[in-house]
Amino acid sequence: IAAQDDKRECAFLSHEHHANSELERARLILPLLVGQPQPTREFGGGMPATGRVQKRPSSPRRLLDELDVIDEFNKQAQARVASVDPGRVLAQFPLQHLQAIIRQLLDEIEVPESSGWDLVIRDLVLNALSRVRPDVQGGERMDLRHYVRIKRIPGGEPSDSQYISGIVFTKNLAHRLMPRYLKAPQIMLLTLPLEYSAQAASSASRYVSFDEELRMQQGFTEKLVQRIAGAAPTIVLADKPVPRQLLEGLMRHRIAVAHGIKRSVIRAIARCTGAEIVTSMNKFSDYPRTGTCASLAVQTYEDPSLPEYRKSFFFLDGCIEQRGGTIVLRGDSFERLADIKQVVDLVICLSYSMMLETSLLVDEYALAVPGTYASSVPDKSALAVPGSASTQLPEDASLAQQALSEYNIVLSSSPCVRIPPPHVLVCMREKELAIRAITEKFDKMSAGRKDTSLGDSSSS
């Protein structure tokens, strides 16, 4: 719809096609609106009917629509992930600490290091840290996870994961002939009732004929279409189902429609795009503000791990990046990505805490150093740095040594803090080492006495 030239006339305005209803006129003009006119075919009764738009063949784990512009959209979103400079977001020590946390969390869900998820998660999280800035002084929450959404799309590789400077949500267009890509769209958000209600219009209960009810419904629909079209939106997003007459009226004005969207998603879209949510008909008198973004794409994915094998997603990219973003995870099954999502969610919280701590240290002119254990245990193998080769325990490890190895993990989000193990275990390990030293000394003394006695017996 948005790609068509405004000078191009619609077929139903030229009065060349004589249709018997609004639905027939919509069927005649829809192929022209999407820029793919198809020849009409004659059926047995001589009734003209438009041919269907031919779709390209699809394959599992790939997009159904292989449009070049959507492919370019995906390439830009993937390139954005690797374009972030880690040194500009976090300092050296916090960055190393973050990588240790990511590896530790991935080990808990049995994700090997060779899978490549370590760098992918790090770059995705750093993209969110460098772009999203909550207005805490304005009353917004400090937790970054309220403004960074995480969506799972199975299939592909971990490197296919994307960071979208906007919103990604599960939904499809109301009609298959509506455009799946819009550049700089004008977005209108509706939460008002889209159907005429006689009980809401009249407080007194009375009987109404069916013709009068139908006439009032048509009048309400025409008035709503005129008010929506007066705001000149490109696409309308509604939380309630859209009636057929309203949908046909909006398509005649070249307006795409998506309905059944959650209220929480609509609020997030309003925040990122700057759109005003229309909650009643009275809002149209003030000319409600429409939101915008750089591009909008609707993509459909197929994968056996999806609940219904197929799922469509709205991508709103190029919004106000300080107000929120979305991390799109790819590279595994839908169930496996749920574990990765929990890791990413926790890493976002911890990394944002690291960034705030680093800012505080800079403001106080303090120098951040990596934290170490302040322990007097002479055996440092049980308190080694996580991920090092010294964390491997021998087969004859004692009970205290095995217990201490369980505390060889990162327990703090701060790179300057290392939480030591319990004092009881440390004392137990010290006693074990002392007993081992005494035992070894006793064995040496016993061996020396045995050699002396053997030498005396041989000389005699």
Side-chain angles (χ1 to χ4, degrees):
I1 294 173
Q4 295 300 312
D5 189 2
D6 293 336
K7 296 181 180 180
R8 186 173 184 176
E9 296 293 332
C10 296
F12 67 89
L13 293 178
S14 62
H15 301 285
E16 295 179 358
H17 300 280
H18 300 282
N20 297 326
S21 63
E22 299 292 337
L23 181 59
E24 291 296 328
R25 289 198 291 269
R27 288 175 177 172
L28 289 174
I29 191 57
L30 279 176
L32 297 178
L33 293 180
V34 297
Q36 296 181 356
Q38 301 293 328
T40 60
R41 295 176 294 175
E42 294 289 335
F43 290 95
M47 178 67 67
T50 57
R52 295 184 177 181
V53 177
Q54 299 296 327
K55 293 185 178 180
R56 299 184 182 182
S58 59
S59 59
R61 299 174 181 264
R62 293 187 62 86
L63 296 176
L64 293 181
D65 290 328
E66 298 290 341
L67 299 177
D68 296 337
V69 63
I70 295 183
D71 292 342
E72 185 66 24
F73 174 88
N74 292 327
K75 291 178 181 179
Q76 293 178 1
Q78 295 170 8
R80 187 183 302 136
V81 177
S83 63
V84 64
D85 185 7
R88 293 188 176 184
V89 183
L90 291 177
Q92 177 184 0
F93 295 142
L95 189 60
Q96 295 176 355
H97 190 67
L98 178 63
Q99 293 176 347
I101 290 177
I102 294 174
R103 185 67 258 159
Q104 175 179 305
L105 295 175
L106 291 178
D107 286 338
E108 292 180 358
I109 60 175
E110 300 179 354
V111 176
E113 191 172 357
S114 59
S115 62
W117 275 111
D118 298 67
L119 294 179
V120 171
I121 294 177
R122 187 201 67 178
D123 293 342
L124 290 171
V125 171
L126 293 181
N127 267 278
L129 289 181
S130 61
R131 301 174 190 274
V132 182
R133 291 289 183 272
D135 187 8
V136 180
Q137 296 181 352
E140 295 181 353
R141 299 183 181 182
M142 186 176 293
D143 193 352
L144 201 68
R145 292 176 294 180
H146 289 92
Y147 311 107
V148 179
R149 302 167 60 89
I150 304 174
K151 296 298 292 184
R152 298 171 291 162
I153 300 180
E157 300 293 334
S159 58
D160 296 334
S161 301
Q162 306 173 1
Y163 179 81
I164 303 296
S165 295
I167 301 297
V168 178
F169 58 96
T170 305
K171 195 56 62 178
N172 202 353
L173 293 168
H175 200 282
R176 63 182 181 86
L177 294 181
M178 290 181 178
R180 288 183 168 266
Y181 180 84
L182 296 174
K183 186 175 182 180
Q186 297 297 319
I187 304 171
M188 174 174 283
L189 305 177
L190 301 180
T191 59
L192 75 164
L194 302 179
E195 292 183 344
Y196 177 80
S197 177
Q199 295 180 357
S202 177
S203 59
S205 59
R206 60 188 181 89
Y207 290 103
V208 180
S209 64
F210 180 77
D211 294 337
E212 184 179 356
E213 178 73 17
L214 183 60
R215 186 169 55 254
M216 289 187 293
Q217 174 68 34
Q218 292 176 351
F220 175 82
T221 301
E222 293 176 359
K223 184 184 297 185
L224 182 58
V225 169
Q226 293 176 1
R227 295 192 177 187
I228 293 176
T234 309
I235 184 171
V236 172
L237 305 178
D239 65 333
K240 297 179 178 62
V242 178
R244 180 181 61 85
Q245 294 181 353
L246 179 60
L247 180 62
E248 294 174 1
L250 293 176
M251 288 197 302
R252 288 197 302 271
H253 289 83
R254 305 183 184 184
I255 300 175
V257 180
H259 56 83
I261 303 173
K262 298 179 180 179
R263 287 287 184 95
S264 59
V265 176
I266 288 183
R267 288 193 294 266
I269 296 173
R271 170 185 167 81
C272 293
T273 62
E276 181 181 358
I277 302 177
V278 181
T279 58
S280 64
M281 291 287 288
N282 298 330
K283 291 285 186 178
F284 287 103
S285 60
D286 299 332
Y287 295 98
R289 182 179 65 255
T290 58
T292 186
C293 60
S295 58
L296 183 150
V298 182
Q299 305 184 39
T300 302
Y301 293 83
E302 287 184 351
D303 191 85
S305 62
L306 287 172
E308 298 180 356
Y309 186 75
R310 178 182 298 178
K311 219 172 193 181
S312 298
F313 297 87
F314 264 75
F315 290 77
L316 275 68
D317 193 15
C319 301
I320 305 174
E321 62 180 15
Q322 293 83 5
R323 296 185 179 181
T326 303
I327 293 175
V328 180
L329 297 177
R330 302 208 63 199
D332 215 320
S333 63
F334 194 72
E335 294 78 10
R336 188 59 172 168
L337 289 178
D339 300 332
I340 305 293
K341 179 179 178 180
Q342 293 181 356
V343 172
V344 175
D345 186 73
L346 182 57
V347 171
I348 290 174
C349 178
L350 299 179
S351 59
Y352 189 59
S353 176
M354 294 182 200
M355 189 180 69
L356 295 180
E357 181 184 4
T358 304
S359 301
L360 177 62
L361 294 176
V362 171
D363 293 341
E364 297 295 333
Y365 300 98
L367 179 62
V369 294
T372 56
Y373 284 117
S375 177
S376 59
V377 182
D379 184 13
K380 300 296 181 180
S381 62
L383 301 176
V385 178
S388 61
S390 59
T391 57
Q392 300 295 331
L393 294 177
E395 295 181 358
D396 58 344
S398 62
L399 181 61
Q401 192 173 3
Q402 294 177 6
L404 284 174
S405 64
E406 297 294 331
Y407 289 90
N408 187 28
I409 58 177
V410 180
L411 297 176
S412 174
S413 63
S414 174
C416 304
V417 176
R418 292 292 298 274
I419 300 176
H423 182 67
V424 176
L425 292 180
V426 175
C427 293
M428 184 184 300
R429 182 57 179 165
E430 291 177 350
K431 298 300 182 182
E432 283 186 352
L433 293 176
I435 295 174
R436 179 183 298 179
I438 295 174
T439 304
E440 292 177 355
K441 185 177 181 180
F442 178 78
D443 293 340
K444 289 181 180 179
M445 292 176 62
S446 300
R449 290 179 180 179
K450 184 180 293 186
D451 293 340
T452 304
S453 61
L454 290 176
D456 295 341
S457 61
S458 61
S459 59
S460 60

